[in-house]
Amino acid sequence: SSWLLLKASRVKFSFDQHKLRIPILGNIMHKTLIARFSRTLAILISGGVGLATSLTISAEVVDNLYFKATLDKIKARVLSGFPLSSEMERQNIFQKMFVKMVEVGEKTGRIGQMLEYNADYSEEELDVAITNFTSLLEPMLIILIGSLVLVVVIALYLPIFQIATIKR
């Protein structure tokens, strides 16, 4: 049974990794994970919780195993003495601007404030991505519904036209 659990977690890890590569939805999922992580980390750091504990708790908030494993790698390297910003850049799941703002926060001693700015920006970016997705989805749904109505109309009228041709 432990083998099945291990296999299931490997499958979920792989699935979570590939979910983030889906063209439009993957981008939205990635932005959601970044926004959730950065908001949680900002609240914890600003509240005076230590960086190691904050990273642990923030990683638990994320429900994607691939993303969580990456955050665990970052935490392990930070505990070894490396700066948070360089490890975020090294793992390559955060945008360059996000990393630079964390770096500025580390250098100025205002990492909590910079993480809050990052969280605000990430949430705004997520809102824009969702708005763009829904505006792209609307015409596609109209075409789909129109196609379904066309099929129903053809299915209703085709027998009537066939009867009319048979009577002649």
Side-chain angles (χ1 to χ4, degrees):
S1 74
S2 62
W3 179 79
L4 285 173
L5 185 64
L6 179 66
K7 186 169 176 132
S9 65
R10 280 187 192 157
V11 169
K12 178 153 176 34
F13 179 87
S14 179
F15 182 67
D16 283 350
Q17 186 177 14
H18 291 294
K19 273 196 307 193
L20 297 176
R21 293 187 183 138
I22 298 171
I24 297 169
L25 292 176
N27 186 30
I28 291 174
M29 284 184 256
H30 188 261
K31 288 179 189 309
T32 303
L33 294 169
I34 294 287
R36 192 179 299 161
F37 167 76
S38 58
R39 177 62 66 196
T40 306
L41 191 61
I43 289 169
L44 291 169
I45 296 277
S46 297
V49 179
L51 184 59
T53 308
S54 297
L55 285 170
T56 303
I57 294 169
S58 299
E60 291 301 318
V61 172
V62 174
D63 59 352
N64 185 299
L65 287 182
Y66 171 72
F67 206 81
K68 188 175 179 180
T70 305
L71 294 174
D72 287 341
K73 287 178 193 173
I74 291 172
K75 184 184 96 174
R77 298 272 299 176
V78 167
L79 290 176
S80 298
F82 293 94
L84 178 62
S85 58
S86 68
E87 292 312 308
M88 286 179 156
E89 187 173 21
R90 188 169 175 257
Q91 292 301 326
N92 205 21
I93 59 171
F94 296 96
Q95 294 175 324
K96 296 234 182 277
M97 189 198 74
F98 189 101
V99 173
K100 290 297 177 192
M101 287 184 72
V102 170
E103 185 178 350
V104 168
E106 287 174 331
K107 288 180 180 174
T108 60
R110 299 173 138 191
I111 191 165
Q113 188 177 11
M114 287 300 164
L115 285 167
E116 284 183 36
Y117 291 147
N118 272 341
D120 292 340
Y121 180 76
S122 297
E123 288 167 358
E124 287 175 26
E125 209 175 38
L126 177 62
D127 288 342
V128 168
I130 290 172
T131 303
N132 289 343
F133 176 68
T134 55
S135 66
L136 182 72
L137 192 65
E138 286 172 5
M140 292 169 55
L141 286 175
I142 290 171
I143 291 170
L144 178 70
I145 291 171
S147 301
L148 290 173
V149 169
L150 180 67
V151 167
V152 169
V153 167
I154 289 174
L156 289 173
Y157 281 111
L158 194 60
I160 295 170
F161 290 138
Q162 286 177 344
I163 290 173
T165 57
I166 292 173
K167 279 206 164 195
R168 286 185 194 174

